[in-house]
Amino acid sequence: MMIALLNLITISSTWARVIDVMDTESGSRLFGFVGAGATFGQLFGSLFATGMAWMGPYLLLVAALLMELAAQSSKRINKDIPHLSEELSPLRKADLDQHNEADEQIALAPRGSSPKLSTSVAKPHLWAILDGLWLILSSTYLLYVSLFLWLSAVISSFFYFQKVTVIAMTVASPVGRRKLFAQINSFIAIFILAGQLSLTGRILTVAGITTAICAAPLFAFVNLVAIAVWPTWIAVAVSETLRKVVTYVVTRPGRELLFTVVSQEEKYKAKICIDVIVQRLGDATAAGLYKLLFNTLNGKTSTVSLYALPVCLLWIFTAFHLGRRQTELAKLQTVST
């Protein structure tokens, strides 16, 4: 559990650094290549672990070495970061016009600091988390981002439980289930890697962020209907492939673009709170809801899927509103610079 949490924090922090050196335009072109690195790492890790399984627990030493290499390489991202001044003030002001002047001053005060300074303040971790939560609560935009991430986590976890349940009901052999999961995941990873290298930049540049972040909830809605009508492992495999490819090729890079229009402090404090705390809350919510629905409906998988449709509709509406808002803030950012 602690390793999974560390992985979440590491990925979120790395994306925060990348976002801080890019704007919406450059992020649209390059975020796909950054995401492809993570996908390639997953493929390499799976193949390496399979081929070197004889090492047993000593594989953890290799993992620790790779983690240290990742930490050292992350320092290089700081090298060309420009010192931002008050150029983001119009964005923060536009987003917080409904809050009082004192709250705006708190949010704007550290705007001129470098990422290194804003992330190395000598405060207890609890206070750093509280700072991030306060930044979220003081910004309508970040509240919508949190809602978007929470709904995304709920639906993703819901799909996971549906996938496990349907395959357990249709594939009797435990060995067969493990092989099927491995084949589906490998198949998906290849498509994701190809899409991130060839399609992500073009889609984000041409279609825009609104289309990008609306793609995943729209496909999720269709997939839920498909599983409700045809609850077989084939439907699960096709739905899971479409959902993950769209998510990691289009929506995930678009999601990171949402943070290119916020202040520096929000990128380093609020983003990590959203990526870690909000997503974990979404996972926990989905687990509780799925268990309740599955027991209440006597294990009727198709009916359980239909109860997630209203959540998907809310996710679509939130994504549409958030995409339009990000576009407005990006225009303000361009004008102010």
Side-chain angles (χ1 to χ4, degrees):
M1 181 177 178
M2 291 304 297
I3 294 177
L5 182 61
L6 176 63
N7 187 48
L8 279 174
I9 295 174
T10 301
I11 293 174
S12 180
S13 301
T14 302
W15 272 109
R17 288 176 180 268
V18 172
I19 290 166
D20 203 27
V21 301
M22 296 186 186
D23 55 14
T24 301
E25 189 274 333
S26 60
S28 298
R29 291 185 290 105
L30 300 175
F31 278 3
F33 293 97
V34 177
T39 304
F40 181 76
Q42 288 180 330
L43 280 174
F44 174 81
S46 298
L47 294 174
F48 183 84
T50 301
M52 306 296 289
W54 56 270
M55 293 180 64
Y58 292 103
L59 279 172
L60 292 176
L61 295 177
V62 179
L65 176 62
L66 293 175
M67 288 286 286
E68 179 59 27
L69 290 175
Q72 294 300 322
S73 64
S74 69
K75 295 180 180 179
R76 306 286 296 179
I77 304 177
N78 262 344
K79 199 170 183 179
D80 299 321
I81 293 180
H83 291 282
L84 301 180
S85 57
E86 293 298 320
E87 61 183 3
L88 292 179
S89 297
L91 304 182
R92 185 65 177 165
K93 185 176 180 181
D95 192 45
L96 298 179
D97 54 0
Q98 63 188 35
H99 294 277
N100 58 49
E101 184 177 354
D103 290 343
E104 291 181 355
Q105 290 175 353
I106 292 174
L108 286 169
R111 190 64 50 85
S113 60
S114 68
K116 189 173 182 180
L117 291 175
S118 63
T119 55
S120 59
V121 179
K123 286 185 177 182
H125 294 299
L126 177 60
W127 285 110
I129 294 174
L130 292 177
D131 284 344
L133 292 175
W134 172 251
L135 289 170
I136 295 171
L137 294 175
S138 64
S139 170
T140 305
Y141 179 76
L142 289 179
L143 285 173
Y144 269 103
V145 174
S146 299
L147 177 61
F148 176 83
L149 265 292
W150 181 79
L151 293 169
S152 173
V154 169
I155 295 299
S156 295
S157 297
F158 204 89
F159 263 115
Y160 172 78
F161 294 126
Q162 281 286 77
K163 175 180 69 175
V164 172
T165 302
V166 171
I167 291 180
M169 294 171 60
T170 55
V171 180
S173 171
V175 176
R177 288 196 293 267
R178 286 194 293 269
K179 287 184 178 180
L180 182 59
F181 280 130
Q183 290 170 353
I184 292 174
N185 290 333
S186 300
F187 187 71
I188 290 172
I190 294 172
F191 272 97
I192 290 175
L193 183 61
Q196 288 172 327
L197 292 174
S198 60
L199 297 176
T200 300
R202 297 175 184 177
I203 293 174
L204 289 177
T205 302
V206 175
I209 186 172
T210 303
T211 302
I213 63 176
C214 285
L218 286 171
F219 271 86
F221 187 91
V222 174
N223 288 342
L224 285 171
V225 174
I227 293 177
V229 175
W230 192 25
T232 65
W233 72 266
I234 297 177
V236 167
V238 173
S239 298
E240 184 75 354
T241 301
L242 290 174
R243 184 184 69 85
K244 285 195 171 182
V245 169
V246 170
T247 297
Y248 288 100
V249 173
V250 182
T251 300
R252 178 61 187 268
R255 190 187 88 183
E256 300 302 335
L257 285 177
L258 294 173
F259 293 96
T260 59
V261 296
V262 301
S263 71
Q264 202 169 66
E265 189 177 26
E266 289 165 336
K267 291 173 183 175
Y268 286 93
K269 291 183 179 180
K271 184 182 188 305
I272 294 177
C273 285
I274 292 173
D275 285 346
V276 178
I277 298 176
V278 173
Q279 287 206 76
R280 294 308 94 188
L281 287 175
D283 294 339
T285 302
L289 286 176
Y290 189 84
K291 183 177 181 180
L292 177 63
L293 289 172
F294 194 79
N295 292 333
T296 303
L297 299 172
N298 298 320
K300 295 180 180 179
T301 308
S302 58
T303 308
V304 172
S305 296
L306 296 178
Y307 278 88
L309 294 180
V311 181
C312 253
L313 290 175
L314 178 60
W315 189 17
I316 293 170
F317 171 80
T318 303
F320 181 78
H321 173 80
L322 198 54
R324 292 174 64 88
R325 182 61 176 153
Q326 194 276 349
T327 303
E328 294 173 359
L329 293 177
K331 289 179 181 178
L332 284 175
Q333 187 181 42
T334 302
V335 171
S336 65
T337 55

